[in-house]
Amino acid sequence: MKILKNSRSVLIFLIIIHVGFFVSKIFIGNYFLQDSYDYCYLAENIKNHFAFYCANLNEPIVFENFTKRPPVYGLFVLVFSFFTQSKVLVLLAQNILSIISILLTIRIFNKHFNNTTKNKIFLILIAVSISQFIYANYLMSEILLQFLVIVLCYSFQNTLAKKSLWWLFGFQLIIILLFLTKPVFYLFVIPNVFICLWLSKHISKASFFSLVPIIALVMYMSWNKERTGHFEFSSIQNLALKNYNLLYFQTNKYNEDYALKINEKINKEIAQLDSYKEKQQAIKLLSTQYIKKDLFSYAWFHLKGSLRMFIDPGRFDLYNFFNFSNKNEVGFLAHINSNGVTGAFNYFKKQPFIIILLLPIILIFNLLKLYGFCRFWITNYKIAPPVLWFAFFIIIYITFLTGPLAASRFLVPLLPLYCMFASLGLLIHFKSFKNHNKSNLTI
C-alpha cells in the first residue's frame, strides 16, 4: 500500500507500541469487559444456530437480546475466531485496524496540511492516548467503529475530489456498516440527507444516494419487528435512557435513594405490561417524562457529561487493562462530589503505582489536546476544507449523542481525528509563540 511505503518510520513506531500492548495483554489475560460477553454470544449463536441473539440460548429468551447489539461486530468476532475458541486473532485484527486508521488519518490531513512537525506532534498525542491501545486489545467494537469512521472521512474526501458516484455509493455503504456496528450511528441517516443535498451541487443526482442507508435502516428495523414485535433499532437505547441517563441525572440532582426509587417505580409499571413492544414504549415514555420535568437541569447535565470524555484520563480503562481489582470502586468524580478535592486526592494516593504515574500524564495531555482542538477551529474555521468540517461534525455528533455516559472509551472511535486536529492547533500555538503573532496554518 502506498500509504505504508510513504510512512515507513511512522509504521515502525506504531507497530512497536501496538505490539507492546498486545503482548502485555496476552500475558495479563482477560480480554473481556461486560459488553464483550454479548458480542461473543452473538458470534457463537450466529455460528451454531444462525441466530442473531446476544445471550445464552439455553436460558429463557429475553426479547431485548435480539436487538441489543447490532450484528457487524459479532460477525467480525466470528470471522477471526471461526476455527478456534481463542480470541487472540480478533485482537490481532483490531491492532492492525488501529494502525491503518492512524495512517489513513495522516493521509487524509496531509492532503491539506502536509507538515512533518504536525505529524510528529500527532504521533506523540496518539502515543499518550493509551485508551487507543487498550481497546485494541479488548473484545469491544470501538476500534472497528474507529476504522469505519476514518474510512467514512476518506470516502467523503475522495467523493468530493473525484466527483465519483462509486465513491459516493461506498460512502453510503460505510454509513450502513457504522450503524450496524454501533446504534449511535443510526440517526446519521438524517444529516446524511443534507450532506448528499450539498454534494449534489458538485455531483449530479448525489441526493438520491441518501436513500440507500435509509432503506437499509428500515429493512433492519422491520426485521427486528418480525423477531420481537416492535419496530425499533436497538433495545439498548431505552435501557440506557432509564438505567443510565435518568438514573445518573437524578442521583446527581437529588440523591441515590431517590433515583433508585424512581427507577424501581418505572420497573414495576413496566412489569405489569404484557408485550415487549408495550414495555419498550413505556420505558421511553416514563423516562422521558421524568427528564422533561427537569429539562433545563438535564440539558446542562447532558452537556457536562458529553464534554467529560475529552478530559477523562481513563482510570477505569487502566484498572481493567492491568487487571487491578475494580470491585465497588467509584471514580474521582464521585469522590470530589462527596468529599471534595481533598477526598479525591487522598483516594488518588491509594492507587497502584502505575496508575499514579500514568493518570497525571494522560490528564495533562488530554488538556493539551482539548486546547489544540479548540485553537485549530478558532484560528482556521474560515479556511478549513470540507473534509475537516465533516470530521468535525462527526466528533460533535458522537459527543452530543453519548451524553452523560461519556468517558475516555467513547472518545476512542474519534481519537485519530481528534488528535490530528489537536496537533494542528498546537502547531499553530508554537508558530504563534515563536513569531509573536497569530499565524494561519497555511503550510
PDB file of all heavy atoms in Angstrom, residues 345-374:
ATOM      1  N   PHE A 345      -7.973  13.587  46.270  1.00  0.00           N
ATOM      2  CA  PHE A 345      -6.515  13.472  46.323  1.00  0.00           C
ATOM      3  C   PHE A 345      -6.097  12.323  47.244  1.00  0.00           C
ATOM      4  O   PHE A 345      -5.176  11.567  46.925  1.00  0.00           O
ATOM      5  CB  PHE A 345      -5.900  14.774  46.811  1.00  0.00           C
ATOM      6  CG  PHE A 345      -4.400  14.756  46.865  1.00  0.00           C
ATOM      7  CD1 PHE A 345      -3.643  14.754  45.701  1.00  0.00           C
ATOM      8  CD2 PHE A 345      -3.737  14.717  48.088  1.00  0.00           C
ATOM      9  CE1 PHE A 345      -2.256  14.716  45.751  1.00  0.00           C
ATOM     10  CE2 PHE A 345      -2.352  14.673  48.148  1.00  0.00           C
ATOM     11  CZ  PHE A 345      -1.617  14.684  46.973  1.00  0.00           C
ATOM     12  N   ASN A 346      -6.770  12.178  48.386  1.00  0.00           N
ATOM     13  CA  ASN A 346      -6.468  11.070  49.295  1.00  0.00           C
ATOM     14  C   ASN A 346      -6.754   9.724  48.631  1.00  0.00           C
ATOM     15  O   ASN A 346      -6.017   8.758  48.828  1.00  0.00           O
ATOM     16  CB  ASN A 346      -7.287  11.211  50.573  1.00  0.00           C
ATOM     17  CG  ASN A 346      -6.821  12.378  51.431  1.00  0.00           C
ATOM     18  OD1 ASN A 346      -5.655  12.779  51.374  1.00  0.00           O
ATOM     19  ND2 ASN A 346      -7.716  12.948  52.216  1.00  0.00           N
ATOM     20  N   TYR A 347      -7.811   9.685  47.838  1.00  0.00           N
ATOM     21  CA  TYR A 347      -8.135   8.466  47.097  1.00  0.00           C
ATOM     22  C   TYR A 347      -7.059   8.187  46.050  1.00  0.00           C
ATOM     23  O   TYR A 347      -6.645   7.036  45.852  1.00  0.00           O
ATOM     24  CB  TYR A 347      -9.509   8.626  46.438  1.00  0.00           C
ATOM     25  CG  TYR A 347      -9.879   7.530  45.468  1.00  0.00           C
ATOM     26  CD1 TYR A 347     -10.156   6.241  45.904  1.00  0.00           C
ATOM     27  CD2 TYR A 347      -9.967   7.798  44.098  1.00  0.00           C
ATOM     28  CE1 TYR A 347     -10.509   5.240  45.014  1.00  0.00           C
ATOM     29  CE2 TYR A 347     -10.316   6.804  43.196  1.00  0.00           C
ATOM     30  CZ  TYR A 347     -10.582   5.530  43.659  1.00  0.00           C
ATOM     31  OH  TYR A 347     -10.924   4.546  42.770  1.00  0.00           O
ATOM     32  N   PHE A 348      -6.592   9.237  45.388  1.00  0.00           N
ATOM     33  CA  PHE A 348      -5.564   9.088  44.367  1.00  0.00           C
ATOM     34  C   PHE A 348      -4.279   8.502  44.955  1.00  0.00           C
ATOM     35  O   PHE A 348      -3.632   7.657  44.334  1.00  0.00           O
ATOM     36  CB  PHE A 348      -5.283  10.455  43.722  1.00  0.00           C
ATOM     37  CG  PHE A 348      -4.141  10.448  42.749  1.00  0.00           C
ATOM     38  CD1 PHE A 348      -4.254   9.832  41.513  1.00  0.00           C
ATOM     39  CD2 PHE A 348      -2.938  11.068  43.074  1.00  0.00           C
ATOM     40  CE1 PHE A 348      -3.201   9.833  40.616  1.00  0.00           C
ATOM     41  CE2 PHE A 348      -1.882  11.071  42.184  1.00  0.00           C
ATOM     42  CZ  PHE A 348      -2.018  10.446  40.947  1.00  0.00           C
ATOM     43  N   LYS A 349      -3.909   8.920  46.148  1.00  0.00           N
ATOM     44  CA  LYS A 349      -2.675   8.448  46.777  1.00  0.00           C
ATOM     45  C   LYS A 349      -2.706   6.947  47.065  1.00  0.00           C
ATOM     46  O   LYS A 349      -1.651   6.320  47.223  1.00  0.00           O
ATOM     47  CB  LYS A 349      -2.409   9.219  48.072  1.00  0.00           C
ATOM     48  CG  LYS A 349      -2.068  10.688  47.858  1.00  0.00           C
ATOM     49  CD  LYS A 349      -1.564  11.347  49.138  1.00  0.00           C
ATOM     50  CE  LYS A 349      -2.639  11.382  50.204  1.00  0.00           C
ATOM     51  NZ  LYS A 349      -2.189  12.104  51.411  1.00  0.00           N
ATOM     52  N   LYS A 350      -3.895   6.372  47.130  1.00  0.00           N
ATOM     53  CA  LYS A 350      -4.030   4.950  47.455  1.00  0.00           C
ATOM     54  C   LYS A 350      -4.011   4.064  46.206  1.00  0.00           C
ATOM     55  O   LYS A 350      -4.098   2.847  46.303  1.00  0.00           O
ATOM     56  CB  LYS A 350      -5.337   4.710  48.218  1.00  0.00           C
ATOM     57  CG  LYS A 350      -5.415   5.448  49.555  1.00  0.00           C
ATOM     58  CD  LYS A 350      -6.768   5.228  50.201  1.00  0.00           C
ATOM     59  CE  LYS A 350      -6.878   6.015  51.509  1.00  0.00           C
ATOM     60  NZ  LYS A 350      -8.222   5.867  52.137  1.00  0.00           N
ATOM     61  N   GLN A 351      -3.891   4.689  45.032  1.00  0.00           N
ATOM     62  CA  GLN A 351      -3.919   3.929  43.781  1.00  0.00           C
ATOM     63  C   GLN A 351      -2.606   3.166  43.565  1.00  0.00           C
ATOM     64  O   GLN A 351      -1.565   3.524  44.129  1.00  0.00           O
ATOM     65  CB  GLN A 351      -4.152   4.881  42.605  1.00  0.00           C
ATOM     66  CG  GLN A 351      -5.444   5.673  42.685  1.00  0.00           C
ATOM     67  CD  GLN A 351      -6.658   4.775  42.753  1.00  0.00           C
ATOM     68  OE1 GLN A 351      -6.886   3.949  41.867  1.00  0.00           O
ATOM     69  NE2 GLN A 351      -7.444   4.924  43.795  1.00  0.00           N
ATOM     70  N   PRO A 352      -2.640   2.110  42.736  1.00  0.00           N
ATOM     71  CA  PRO A 352      -1.396   1.413  42.369  1.00  0.00           C
ATOM     72  C   PRO A 352      -0.410   2.379  41.724  1.00  0.00           C
ATOM     73  O   PRO A 352      -0.814   3.380  41.114  1.00  0.00           O
ATOM     74  CB  PRO A 352      -1.866   0.350  41.369  1.00  0.00           C
ATOM     75  CG  PRO A 352      -3.311   0.137  41.697  1.00  0.00           C
ATOM     76  CD  PRO A 352      -3.825   1.453  42.154  1.00  0.00           C
ATOM     77  N   PHE A 353       0.880   2.070  41.819  1.00  0.00           N
ATOM     78  CA  PHE A 353       1.931   2.988  41.364  1.00  0.00           C
ATOM     79  C   PHE A 353       1.770   3.368  39.897  1.00  0.00           C
ATOM     80  O   PHE A 353       1.918   4.534  39.532  1.00  0.00           O
ATOM     81  CB  PHE A 353       3.311   2.341  41.571  1.00  0.00           C
ATOM     82  CG  PHE A 353       4.433   3.151  40.967  1.00  0.00           C
ATOM     83  CD1 PHE A 353       4.879   4.316  41.580  1.00  0.00           C
ATOM     84  CD2 PHE A 353       5.019   2.761  39.758  1.00  0.00           C
ATOM     85  CE1 PHE A 353       5.897   5.075  41.016  1.00  0.00           C
ATOM     86  CE2 PHE A 353       6.034   3.503  39.194  1.00  0.00           C
ATOM     87  CZ  PHE A 353       6.475   4.669  39.823  1.00  0.00           C
ATOM     88  N   ILE A 354       1.454   2.393  39.039  1.00  0.00           N
ATOM     89  CA  ILE A 354       1.362   2.696  37.608  1.00  0.00           C
ATOM     90  C   ILE A 354       0.195   3.645  37.314  1.00  0.00           C
ATOM     91  O   ILE A 354       0.254   4.461  36.394  1.00  0.00           O
ATOM     92  CB  ILE A 354       1.230   1.383  36.783  1.00  0.00           C
ATOM     93  CG1 ILE A 354       1.498   1.687  35.303  1.00  0.00           C
ATOM     94  CG2 ILE A 354      -0.136   0.724  36.982  1.00  0.00           C
ATOM     95  CD1 ILE A 354       1.718   0.453  34.464  1.00  0.00           C
ATOM     96  N   ILE A 355      -0.852   3.573  38.134  1.00  0.00           N
ATOM     97  CA  ILE A 355      -1.982   4.497  37.988  1.00  0.00           C
ATOM     98  C   ILE A 355      -1.559   5.902  38.410  1.00  0.00           C
ATOM     99  O   ILE A 355      -1.847   6.894  37.724  1.00  0.00           O
ATOM    100  CB  ILE A 355      -3.187   4.029  38.826  1.00  0.00           C
ATOM    101  CG1 ILE A 355      -3.628   2.616  38.407  1.00  0.00           C
ATOM    102  CG2 ILE A 355      -4.345   5.009  38.692  1.00  0.00           C
ATOM    103  CD1 ILE A 355      -4.139   2.512  36.997  1.00  0.00           C
ATOM    104  N   ILE A 356      -0.855   5.991  39.517  1.00  0.00           N
ATOM    105  CA  ILE A 356      -0.356   7.286  39.993  1.00  0.00           C
ATOM    106  C   ILE A 356       0.593   7.905  38.976  1.00  0.00           C
ATOM    107  O   ILE A 356       0.606   9.123  38.768  1.00  0.00           O
ATOM    108  CB  ILE A 356       0.359   7.111  41.354  1.00  0.00           C
ATOM    109  CG1 ILE A 356      -0.657   6.689  42.427  1.00  0.00           C
ATOM    110  CG2 ILE A 356       1.061   8.398  41.780  1.00  0.00           C
ATOM    111  CD1 ILE A 356      -0.029   6.381  43.774  1.00  0.00           C
ATOM    112  N   LEU A 357       1.371   7.063  38.303  1.00  0.00           N
ATOM    113  CA  LEU A 357       2.333   7.545  37.308  1.00  0.00           C
ATOM    114  C   LEU A 357       1.634   8.019  36.027  1.00  0.00           C
ATOM    115  O   LEU A 357       1.944   9.098  35.508  1.00  0.00           O
ATOM    116  CB  LEU A 357       3.322   6.428  36.967  1.00  0.00           C
ATOM    117  CG  LEU A 357       4.340   6.732  35.853  1.00  0.00           C
ATOM    118  CD1 LEU A 357       5.300   7.829  36.314  1.00  0.00           C
ATOM    119  CD2 LEU A 357       5.101   5.462  35.474  1.00  0.00           C
ATOM    120  N   LEU A 358       0.696   7.226  35.530  1.00  0.00           N
ATOM    121  CA  LEU A 358       0.121   7.487  34.216  1.00  0.00           C
ATOM    122  C   LEU A 358      -1.005   8.518  34.207  1.00  0.00           C
ATOM    123  O   LEU A 358      -1.099   9.324  33.279  1.00  0.00           O
ATOM    124  CB  LEU A 358      -0.391   6.174  33.601  1.00  0.00           C
ATOM    125  CG  LEU A 358       0.663   5.154  33.174  1.00  0.00           C
ATOM    126  CD1 LEU A 358      -0.001   3.882  32.650  1.00  0.00           C
ATOM    127  CD2 LEU A 358       1.571   5.747  32.102  1.00  0.00           C
ATOM    128  N   LEU A 359      -1.857   8.488  35.221  1.00  0.00           N
ATOM    129  CA  LEU A 359      -3.044   9.353  35.178  1.00  0.00           C
ATOM    130  C   LEU A 359      -2.708  10.842  35.035  1.00  0.00           C
ATOM    131  O   LEU A 359      -3.325  11.530  34.206  1.00  0.00           O
ATOM    132  CB  LEU A 359      -3.919   9.113  36.408  1.00  0.00           C
ATOM    133  CG  LEU A 359      -4.859   7.901  36.360  1.00  0.00           C
ATOM    134  CD1 LEU A 359      -5.792   7.904  37.559  1.00  0.00           C
ATOM    135  CD2 LEU A 359      -5.665   7.861  35.076  1.00  0.00           C
ATOM    136  N   PRO A 360      -1.764  11.393  35.828  1.00  0.00           N
ATOM    137  CA  PRO A 360      -1.456  12.819  35.643  1.00  0.00           C
ATOM    138  C   PRO A 360      -0.913  13.149  34.263  1.00  0.00           C
ATOM    139  O   PRO A 360      -1.242  14.193  33.697  1.00  0.00           O
ATOM    140  CB  PRO A 360      -0.400  13.098  36.735  1.00  0.00           C
ATOM    141  CG  PRO A 360      -0.580  12.019  37.738  1.00  0.00           C
ATOM    142  CD  PRO A 360      -1.001  10.817  36.952  1.00  0.00           C
ATOM    143  N   ILE A 361      -0.082  12.239  33.715  1.00  0.00           N
ATOM    144  CA  ILE A 361       0.473  12.463  32.376  1.00  0.00           C
ATOM    145  C   ILE A 361      -0.646  12.495  31.345  1.00  0.00           C
ATOM    146  O   ILE A 361      -0.728  13.387  30.488  1.00  0.00           O
ATOM    147  CB  ILE A 361       1.498  11.371  32.031  1.00  0.00           C
ATOM    148  CG1 ILE A 361       2.695  11.436  32.982  1.00  0.00           C
ATOM    149  CG2 ILE A 361       1.964  11.499  30.574  1.00  0.00           C
ATOM    150  CD1 ILE A 361       3.671  10.286  32.829  1.00  0.00           C
ATOM    151  N   ILE A 362      -1.544  11.508  31.417  1.00  0.00           N
ATOM    152  CA  ILE A 362      -2.658  11.431  30.464  1.00  0.00           C
ATOM    153  C   ILE A 362      -3.553  12.655  30.606  1.00  0.00           C
ATOM    154  O   ILE A 362      -3.986  13.240  29.607  1.00  0.00           O
ATOM    155  CB  ILE A 362      -3.466  10.134  30.683  1.00  0.00           C
ATOM    156  CG1 ILE A 362      -2.590   8.917  30.402  1.00  0.00           C
ATOM    157  CG2 ILE A 362      -4.699  10.120  29.783  1.00  0.00           C
ATOM    158  CD1 ILE A 362      -3.239   7.596  30.771  1.00  0.00           C
ATOM    159  N   LEU A 363      -3.831  13.055  31.850  1.00  0.00           N
ATOM    160  CA  LEU A 363      -4.698  14.212  32.083  1.00  0.00           C
ATOM    161  C   LEU A 363      -4.094  15.477  31.486  1.00  0.00           C
ATOM    162  O   LEU A 363      -4.801  16.268  30.841  1.00  0.00           O
ATOM    163  CB  LEU A 363      -4.934  14.394  33.581  1.00  0.00           C
ATOM    164  CG  LEU A 363      -5.799  15.591  33.991  1.00  0.00           C
ATOM    165  CD1 LEU A 363      -7.185  15.497  33.353  1.00  0.00           C
ATOM    166  CD2 LEU A 363      -5.908  15.691  35.505  1.00  0.00           C
ATOM    167  N   ILE A 364      -2.799  15.683  31.688  1.00  0.00           N
ATOM    168  CA  ILE A 364      -2.127  16.882  31.143  1.00  0.00           C
ATOM    169  C   ILE A 364      -2.223  16.892  29.617  1.00  0.00           C
ATOM    170  O   ILE A 364      -2.549  17.911  29.004  1.00  0.00           O
ATOM    171  CB  ILE A 364      -0.658  16.927  31.606  1.00  0.00           C
ATOM    172  CG1 ILE A 364      -0.589  17.225  33.109  1.00  0.00           C
ATOM    173  CG2 ILE A 364       0.123  17.982  30.818  1.00  0.00           C
ATOM    174  CD1 ILE A 364       0.796  17.051  33.712  1.00  0.00           C
ATOM    175  N   PHE A 365      -1.961  15.744  29.003  1.00  0.00           N
ATOM    176  CA  PHE A 365      -2.041  15.686  27.544  1.00  0.00           C
ATOM    177  C   PHE A 365      -3.477  15.805  27.043  1.00  0.00           C
ATOM    178  O   PHE A 365      -3.713  16.336  25.955  1.00  0.00           O
ATOM    179  CB  PHE A 365      -1.385  14.404  27.024  1.00  0.00           C
ATOM    180  CG  PHE A 365       0.097  14.528  26.826  1.00  0.00           C
ATOM    181  CD1 PHE A 365       0.986  14.130  27.813  1.00  0.00           C
ATOM    182  CD2 PHE A 365       0.600  15.066  25.658  1.00  0.00           C
ATOM    183  CE1 PHE A 365       2.352  14.259  27.633  1.00  0.00           C
ATOM    184  CE2 PHE A 365       1.973  15.198  25.459  1.00  0.00           C
ATOM    185  CZ  PHE A 365       2.853  14.797  26.453  1.00  0.00           C
ATOM    186  N   ASN A 366      -4.435  15.318  27.825  1.00  0.00           N
ATOM    187  CA  ASN A 366      -5.836  15.498  27.442  1.00  0.00           C
ATOM    188  C   ASN A 366      -6.208  16.982  27.408  1.00  0.00           C
ATOM    189  O   ASN A 366      -6.944  17.431  26.518  1.00  0.00           O
ATOM    190  CB  ASN A 366      -6.758  14.762  28.412  1.00  0.00           C
ATOM    191  CG  ASN A 366      -6.794  13.263  28.156  1.00  0.00           C
ATOM    192  OD1 ASN A 366      -6.211  12.775  27.189  1.00  0.00           O
ATOM    193  ND2 ASN A 366      -7.483  12.531  29.001  1.00  0.00           N
ATOM    194  N   LEU A 367      -5.696  17.733  28.371  1.00  0.00           N
ATOM    195  CA  LEU A 367      -5.948  19.175  28.388  1.00  0.00           C
ATOM    196  C   LEU A 367      -5.254  19.858  27.213  1.00  0.00           C
ATOM    197  O   LEU A 367      -5.808  20.778  26.594  1.00  0.00           O
ATOM    198  CB  LEU A 367      -5.474  19.774  29.716  1.00  0.00           C
ATOM    199  CG  LEU A 367      -6.254  19.330  30.962  1.00  0.00           C
ATOM    200  CD1 LEU A 367      -5.574  19.836  32.227  1.00  0.00           C
ATOM    201  CD2 LEU A 367      -7.698  19.821  30.908  1.00  0.00           C
ATOM    202  N   LEU A 368      -4.046  19.396  26.889  1.00  0.00           N
ATOM    203  CA  LEU A 368      -3.336  19.939  25.727  1.00  0.00           C
ATOM    204  C   LEU A 368      -4.094  19.641  24.429  1.00  0.00           C
ATOM    205  O   LEU A 368      -4.199  20.497  23.542  1.00  0.00           O
ATOM    206  CB  LEU A 368      -1.922  19.353  25.646  1.00  0.00           C
ATOM    207  CG  LEU A 368      -0.876  19.933  26.598  1.00  0.00           C
ATOM    208  CD1 LEU A 368       0.417  19.122  26.511  1.00  0.00           C
ATOM    209  CD2 LEU A 368      -0.606  21.391  26.276  1.00  0.00           C
ATOM    210  N   LYS A 369      -4.612  18.422  24.329  1.00  0.00           N
ATOM    211  CA  LYS A 369      -5.374  18.057  23.132  1.00  0.00           C
ATOM    212  C   LYS A 369      -6.627  18.912  22.993  1.00  0.00           C
ATOM    213  O   LYS A 369      -6.961  19.368  21.891  1.00  0.00           O
ATOM    214  CB  LYS A 369      -5.749  16.570  23.180  1.00  0.00           C
ATOM    215  CG  LYS A 369      -4.589  15.645  22.848  1.00  0.00           C
ATOM    216  CD  LYS A 369      -5.027  14.199  22.772  1.00  0.00           C
ATOM    217  CE  LYS A 369      -5.145  13.564  24.122  1.00  0.00           C
ATOM    218  NZ  LYS A 369      -5.400  12.113  24.074  1.00  0.00           N
ATOM    219  N   LEU A 370      -7.307  19.123  24.108  1.00  0.00           N
ATOM    220  CA  LEU A 370      -8.526  19.942  24.061  1.00  0.00           C
ATOM    221  C   LEU A 370      -8.192  21.379  23.656  1.00  0.00           C
ATOM    222  O   LEU A 370      -8.902  21.985  22.843  1.00  0.00           O
ATOM    223  CB  LEU A 370      -9.217  19.918  25.424  1.00  0.00           C
ATOM    224  CG  LEU A 370     -10.545  20.679  25.525  1.00  0.00           C
ATOM    225  CD1 LEU A 370     -11.558  20.139  24.517  1.00  0.00           C
ATOM    226  CD2 LEU A 370     -11.096  20.597  26.946  1.00  0.00           C
ATOM    227  N   TYR A 371      -7.098  21.903  24.204  1.00  0.00           N
ATOM    228  CA  TYR A 371      -6.663  23.249  23.836  1.00  0.00           C
ATOM    229  C   TYR A 371      -6.328  23.312  22.345  1.00  0.00           C
ATOM    230  O   TYR A 371      -6.736  24.234  21.628  1.00  0.00           O
ATOM    231  CB  TYR A 371      -5.456  23.679  24.661  1.00  0.00           C
ATOM    232  CG  TYR A 371      -4.801  24.933  24.128  1.00  0.00           C
ATOM    233  CD1 TYR A 371      -5.365  26.183  24.358  1.00  0.00           C
ATOM    234  CD2 TYR A 371      -3.621  24.865  23.370  1.00  0.00           C
ATOM    235  CE1 TYR A 371      -4.779  27.335  23.845  1.00  0.00           C
ATOM    236  CE2 TYR A 371      -3.031  26.002  22.857  1.00  0.00           C
ATOM    237  CZ  TYR A 371      -3.617  27.242  23.101  1.00  0.00           C
ATOM    238  OH  TYR A 371      -3.047  28.382  22.588  1.00  0.00           O
ATOM    239  N   GLY A 372      -5.559  22.327  21.864  1.00  0.00           N
ATOM    240  CA  GLY A 372      -5.155  22.306  20.461  1.00  0.00           C
ATOM    241  C   GLY A 372      -6.352  22.188  19.536  1.00  0.00           C
ATOM    242  O   GLY A 372      -6.413  22.859  18.492  1.00  0.00           O
ATOM    243  N   PHE A 373      -7.305  21.354  19.896  1.00  0.00           N
ATOM    244  CA  PHE A 373      -8.516  21.179  19.100  1.00  0.00           C
ATOM    245  C   PHE A 373      -9.274  22.506  18.984  1.00  0.00           C
ATOM    246  O   PHE A 373      -9.657  22.914  17.871  1.00  0.00           O
ATOM    247  CB  PHE A 373      -9.401  20.113  19.745  1.00  0.00           C
ATOM    248  CG  PHE A 373     -10.705  19.869  19.039  1.00  0.00           C
ATOM    249  CD1 PHE A 373     -10.752  19.088  17.900  1.00  0.00           C
ATOM    250  CD2 PHE A 373     -11.885  20.424  19.516  1.00  0.00           C
ATOM    251  CE1 PHE A 373     -11.958  18.856  17.241  1.00  0.00           C
ATOM    252  CE2 PHE A 373     -13.091  20.205  18.869  1.00  0.00           C
ATOM    253  CZ  PHE A 373     -13.131  19.413  17.726  1.00  0.00           C
ATOM    254  N   CYS A 374      -9.475  23.177  20.108  1.00  0.00           N
ATOM    255  CA  CYS A 374     -10.189  24.461  20.101  1.00  0.00           C
ATOM    256  C   CYS A 374      -9.393  25.526  19.351  1.00  0.00           C
ATOM    257  O   CYS A 374      -9.954  26.328  18.589  1.00  0.00           O
ATOM    258  CB  CYS A 374     -10.467  24.916  21.533  1.00  0.00           C
ATOM    259  SG  CYS A 374     -11.604  23.836  22.443  1.00  0.00           S
TER     260      CYS A 374
END
